[in-house]
């Protein structure tokens, strides 16, 4: 009696193993078939290839701003005035939602380069044109849900969770930057 | 061989092999339906009519539409100006979406008022909420296709909701877009999904109907059908009533299509999409406004998104939140009052969703949002402990005929 029940248990253990491993293999198979169907929705090679944009800043006067396109998104470049630079550098980081110093965000203090997409829900903030509303902190203002950004593109008031993104860019010469 | 109920030999031959005629006879003709249904029970069939209208007009629109960022806007303008009857078909499709939501929202509030979500109709209700979700996804993607300013920025804002998910949010948004912003890949996939999702809705509607026909319709009194004396056959009684309701619905629908086709739209969507400029005031279509108000009421990005989806999630568990065994509000005096408060709350949220997110509007949205969740999560479970319900009638026939039992109902009939 004990012998037969033991052998029965062994049989069941073996069957369980076979069933579980069959399901596991079928699951892996299904997942590997599904992956190409899911991954095809990620950016294609040609989309990824449109990665960099060069901008000539020589004609950008103090206080002026231009908007260029990078990866289908607007990129803001603003030539800041000395007062704006002073304000951006001297403000206390204590009660900022996303504390970052101006030095961390702007390698060349004159030219600030930002991805012009509100970090809340992706609208384009106002503040690039001279007549635009610039918000309470003089930088940019998103009209969709009321986020205020300062001269360094830092979120100061409103629903946006983080500062305006700084794209990766470098100065090719004094007046030419390459974004991306 | 069993006696066939059909006289036509061709029908008889087919039905013997493929019993579709028996099925239709059973479900659409003899189908016993409570005899006391009021006009609020018209809205289910109206929703079905709206779905078919959207599919038919949508298929013909797709024959003239080009899903490409450079051509989409122009192809829609071509439909409006050059394609034969294109303006009519597009206006029917455009206003049809709004009317579909009007009908479905009335249908949902009907269910809330008469307790149609309670046992044994929980799955029927859940399938309905699933249809609502699919409708919302379909309507959202459809609104993107004309590639106007509202299309583009609506798509940007709504897809960005997913970026609120911690850690993987940004990757999900890139995956949804197929790039680094809403662009041609996004438009293409939205067109594809906008085309296919209505047929998924048809599938869920069929399940909704199978679940409905398992126990039959609820009714204004909310008590179960006790026997044949409480029902009438679906045809001709409710086929005619539904057709009458349909003709009234079509009068309103035609008035909108022919006289106010853009009343429920937004003028900014007649400006072609420009990824560099956001319109000053973005609002979604009116049927999303209450949810949009909830999103903006919460001062935290992830919190706002969670509450917005939560507003629909509570509907899924509603059958288990409401502990009262009494279905119809007619016998629940306190519940009835709160039902109207909830309706007004949802209308207020809709109004607030259309207003700019500042000052008093923000405060009111927070109060209205708090009430919405209070109603579902606190009031529904607690009310049965406080509320004294009115006595239920013995049968559906009783309030109509005055008698209690089926026998007395027949006695009343014989007296006449």
């Amino acid at each position: 009696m004990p012998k037969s029940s033991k052998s029965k248990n062994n049989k069941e253990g073996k069957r369980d193993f076979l069933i579980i491993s069959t399901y596991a293999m079928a699951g892996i198979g299904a997942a590997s078939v599904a992956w190409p169907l899911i991954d095809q929705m990620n950016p294609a090679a040609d989309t990824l290839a449109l990665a960099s944009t060069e901008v000539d800043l020589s004609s950008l006067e103090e206080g002026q701003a231009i908007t260029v396109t990078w990866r289908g998104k607007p990129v803001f470049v603003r030539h800041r005035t000395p007062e704006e630079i002073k304000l951006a550098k001297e403000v206390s980081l204590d009660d900022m939602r996303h504390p970052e110093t101006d030095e961390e965000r702007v390698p060349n203090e004159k030219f600030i380069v930002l991805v012009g997409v509100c970090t809340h829900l992706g609208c384009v903030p106002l503040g690039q044109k001279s007549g635009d509303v610039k918000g309470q902190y003089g930088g940019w203002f998103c009209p969709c849900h009321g986020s205020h950004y300062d001269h360094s593109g830092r979120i100061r008031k409103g629903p946006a969770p983080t500062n305006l993104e700084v794209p990766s860019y470098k100065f090719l010469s004094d007046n030419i930057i390459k974004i991306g | 061989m069993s006696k066939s109920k059909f006289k036509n030999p061709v029908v008889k031959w087919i039905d013997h092999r493929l019993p579709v005629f028996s099925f239709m006879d059973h479900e659409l003709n003899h189908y016993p339906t409570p005899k006391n249904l009021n006009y609020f029970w018209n809205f289910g069939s109206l929703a079905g009519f709206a779905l078919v209208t959207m599919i038919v007009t949508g298929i013909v629109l797709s024959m003239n539409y080009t899903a490409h960022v450079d051509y989409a806007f122009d192809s829609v303008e071509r439909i409006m100006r050059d394609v034969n009857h294109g303006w009519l078909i597009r206006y029917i499709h455009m206003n049809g979406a709004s009317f579909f939501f009007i009908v479905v929202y009335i249908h949902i509030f009907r269910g809330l008022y008469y307790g149609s979500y309670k046992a044994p109709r929980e799955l029927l209700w859940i399938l309905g909420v699933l249809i609502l979700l699919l409708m919302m996804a379909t309507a959202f993607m459809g609104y993107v296709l004309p590639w106007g300013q509202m299309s583009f920025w609506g798509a940007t804002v709504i897809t960005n909701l997913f970026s609120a998910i911690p850690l993987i949010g940004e990757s999900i948004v890139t995956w949804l877009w197929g790039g680094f912003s809403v662009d041609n890949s996004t438009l293409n996939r939205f067109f594809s999904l906008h085309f296919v999702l209505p047929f998924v809705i048809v599938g869920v509607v069929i399940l909704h109907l199978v679940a409905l026909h398992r126990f039959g319709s609820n009714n204004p009194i909310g008590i179960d059908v006790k026997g044949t004396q409480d029902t009438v056959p679906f045809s001709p009684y409710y086929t005619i009533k539904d057709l009458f309701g349909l003709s009234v619905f079509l009068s309103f629908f035609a008035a909108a299509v022919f006289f106010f086709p853009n009343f429920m739209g937004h003028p900014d969507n007649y400006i072609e999409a420009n990824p560099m400029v956001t319109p000053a005031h973005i609002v979604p279509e009116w049927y999303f406004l209450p949810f949009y108000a909830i999103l903006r009421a919460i001062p935290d990005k992830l919190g706002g998104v969670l509450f917005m989806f939560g507003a629909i999630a509570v509907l899924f568990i509603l059958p288990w939140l409401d502990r009262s065994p009494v279905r119809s509000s007619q016998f629940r005096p306190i519940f009835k009052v709160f039902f109207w408060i909830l309706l007004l709350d949802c209308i207020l949220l809709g109004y607030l969703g259309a207003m700019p997110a500042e000052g008093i509007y923000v405060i009111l949205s927070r109060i209205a949002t708090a009430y919405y969740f209070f109603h579902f999560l606190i009031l529904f479970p607690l009310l049965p402990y406080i509320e004294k319900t009115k006595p239920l009638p013995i049968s559906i026939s009783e309030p109509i005929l005055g008698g209690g039992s089926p026998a007395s109902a027949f006695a009343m009939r014989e007296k006449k």
Side-chain angles (χ1 to χ4, degrees):
Chain A
M1 202 37 202
K3 199 187 169 189
S4 72
S5 84
K6 197 186 170 193
S7 71
K8 199 184 165 197
N9 278 345
N10 276 350
K11 249 186 188 167
E12 280 186 354
K14 189 178 171 189
R15 175 153 298 177
D16 285 347
F17 173 77
L18 287 172
I19 288 171
I20 290 166
S21 47
T22 308
Y23 280 135
M25 288 313 290
I28 293 165
S32 49
V33 171
W35 178 244
L37 301 176
I38 295 166
D39 192 40
Q40 58 82 21
M41 281 174 71
N42 272 317
D46 64 333
T47 311
L48 291 170
L50 294 170
S52 69
T53 303
E54 282 183 27
V55 189
D56 184 358
L57 305 177
S58 53
S59 59
L60 195 62
E61 299 287 330
E62 212 172 76
Q64 281 187 336
I66 51 166
T67 306
V68 295
T69 312
W70 174 62
R71 288 178 159 182
K73 294 183 202 181
V75 168
F76 294 165
V77 185
R78 196 190 274 187
H79 188 161
R80 301 192 294 184
T81 61
E83 302 88 75
E84 288 173 348
I85 295 168
K86 199 169 162 239
L87 271 171
K89 283 186 187 299
E90 286 175 356
V91 68
S92 150
L93 301 183
D94 291 344
D95 39 55
M96 278 191 197
R97 185 171 304 156
H98 183 190
E100 279 181 319
T101 62
D102 193 54
E103 286 78 7
E104 283 175 71
R105 296 177 53 79
V106 193
N108 176 341
E109 63 175 32
K110 274 188 188 167
F111 298 105
I112 179 164
V113 182
L114 298 167
V115 175
V117 173
C118 180
T119 56
H120 181 228
L121 293 173
C123 297
V124 178
L126 299 173
Q128 286 295 93
K129 294 194 193 110
S130 53
D132 278 356
V133 183
K134 292 186 166 68
Q136 284 178 18
Y137 297 88
W140 290 268
F141 171 71
C142 181
C144 290
H145 307 97
S147 291
H148 299 252
Y149 296 94
D150 68 8
H151 295 296
S152 193
R154 290 173 295 204
I155 179 67
R156 299 293 289 276
K157 188 185 171 193
T162 57
N163 300 337
L164 288 177
E165 190 193 335
V166 178
S168 66
Y169 65 94
K170 59 179 180 220
F171 280 82
L172 299 179
S173 69
D174 283 353
N175 287 322
I176 295 171
I177 57 167
K178 185 182 176 190
I179 306 166
Chain B
M1 199 180 148
S2 66
K3 207 172 70 182
S4 173
K5 47 186 164 293
F6 302 107
K7 291 201 178 85
N8 185 319
V10 178
V11 170
K12 204 185 273 184
W13 188 91
I14 293 172
D15 197 66
H16 186 61
R17 287 152 182 84
L18 179 74
V20 280
F21 295 103
S22 291
F23 175 80
M24 290 197 296
D25 186 54
H26 187 254
E27 300 299 336
L28 294 171
N29 193 16
H30 291 298
Y31 177 59
T33 314
K35 63 184 176 188
N36 59 337
L37 299 188
N38 60 33
Y39 275 106
F40 283 106
W41 265 264
N42 280 52
F43 288 87
S45 71
L46 286 180
F49 175 83
L51 176 61
V52 172
T53 306
M54 294 306 281
I55 289 178
V56 171
T57 51
I59 288 171
V60 288
L61 282 174
S62 77
M63 295 177 186
N64 293 291
Y65 171 77
T66 312
H68 187 283
V69 287
D70 294 337
Y71 307 106
F73 187 83
D74 291 344
S75 75
V76 172
E77 285 307 305
R78 184 176 160 270
I79 288 171
M80 293 304 292
R81 291 150 201 248
D82 295 342
V83 174
N84 300 332
H85 315 290
W87 62 273
L88 175 65
I89 298 162
R90 176 164 177 265
Y91 277 156
I92 290 174
H93 198 73
M94 213 170 103
N95 287 279
S98 282
F99 274 82
F100 197 178
F101 274 97
I102 292 172
V103 164
V104 161
Y105 282 148
I106 294 174
H107 188 63
I108 292 170
F109 276 100
R110 194 287 319 277
L112 281 170
Y113 187 82
Y114 294 109
S116 301
Y117 46 86
K118 290 186 189 180
R121 297 188 182 84
E122 302 96 321
L123 278 179
L124 173 60
W125 172 264
I126 288 172
L127 287 166
V129 182
L130 196 61
I131 293 169
L132 175 66
L133 266 183
L134 286 166
M135 276 175 66
M136 288 176 146
T138 309
F140 158 66
M141 288 192 268
Y143 194 56
V144 176
L145 303 184
W147 208 243
Q149 273 290 66
M150 281 293 162
S151 302
F152 182 89
W153 292 101
T156 301
V157 168
I158 301 297
T159 48
N160 261 308
L161 293 178
F162 293 92
S163 71
I165 301 165
L167 300 173
I168 53 166
E170 292 295 334
S171 317
I172 287 178
V173 174
T174 305
W175 176 72
L176 287 173
W177 288 341
F180 303 102
S181 57
V182 173
D183 210 333
N184 199 42
S185 314
T186 325
L187 179 60
N188 266 295
R189 64 191 55 182
F190 278 17
F191 179 52
S192 171
L193 292 171
H194 181 73
F195 203 112
V196 79
L197 281 183
F199 298 97
V200 178
I201 294 178
V202 169
V204 185
V205 166
I206 290 169
L207 293 178
H208 192 68
L209 288 174
V210 172
L212 172 70
H213 283 228
R214 180 77 178 84
F215 296 102
S217 294
N218 183 29
N219 63 79
I221 299 178
I223 61 173
D224 288 330
V225 166
K226 297 287 193 310
T228 48
Q229 73 281 358
D230 288 341
T231 64
V232 288
F234 191 78
S235 190
Y237 296 97
Y238 286 111
T239 39
I240 289 299
K241 193 172 180 176
D242 277 353
L243 281 173
F244 174 70
L246 178 64
S247 63
V248 174
F249 167 81
L250 284 175
S251 314
F252 284 101
F253 188 37
V257 167
F258 290 106
F259 296 103
F260 315 101
N262 290 305
F263 178 71
M264 287 175 281
H266 199 290
D268 274 1
N269 221 29
Y270 286 104
I271 303 168
E272 193 169 0
N274 180 355
M276 294 295 126
V277 179
T278 307
H281 187 47
I282 299 188
V283 277
E285 288 283 81
W286 70 266
Y287 36 83
F288 292 135
L289 288 174
F291 301 101
Y292 194 59
I294 293 175
L295 168 77
R296 298 193 306 180
I298 311 295
D300 175 76
K301 184 170 165 180
L302 179 60
V305 174
L306 289 177
F307 272 84
M308 189 183 74
F309 284 108
I312 294 187
V314 291
L315 295 177
F316 277 106
I317 54 167
L318 179 60
W320 294 277
L321 289 174
D322 186 354
R323 313 288 299 176
S324 174
V326 179
R327 292 197 191 105
S328 173
S329 291
Q330 289 191 14
F331 307 103
R332 300 187 65 190
I334 306 177
F335 181 88
K336 194 182 196 170
V337 173
F338 278 104
F339 169 84
W340 292 109
I341 297 177
L342 178 70
L343 181 62
L344 289 175
D345 188 63
C346 291
I347 293 169
L348 176 67
L349 278 169
Y351 167 75
L352 293 168
M355 293 294 113
E358 58 197 29
I360 184 74
Y361 299 124
V362 177
I363 297 159
L364 284 175
S365 325
R366 284 181 190 159
I367 296 169
T369 302
Y371 179 78
Y372 183 91
F373 286 96
F374 162 80
H375 189 102
F376 283 101
L377 296 176
I378 297 170
L379 192 72
F380 266 120
L382 291 185
L383 204 53
Y385 296 103
I386 306 159
E387 186 176 50
K388 193 176 180 306
T389 55
K390 291 183 190 168
L392 292 174
I394 298 156
S395 73
I396 288 173
S397 298
E398 192 206 13
I400 303 165
L401 298 168
S405 64
S408 72
F410 280 116
M412 289 284 289
R413 212 173 276 175
E414 273 170 3
K415 266 183 208 164
K416 286 179 193 168

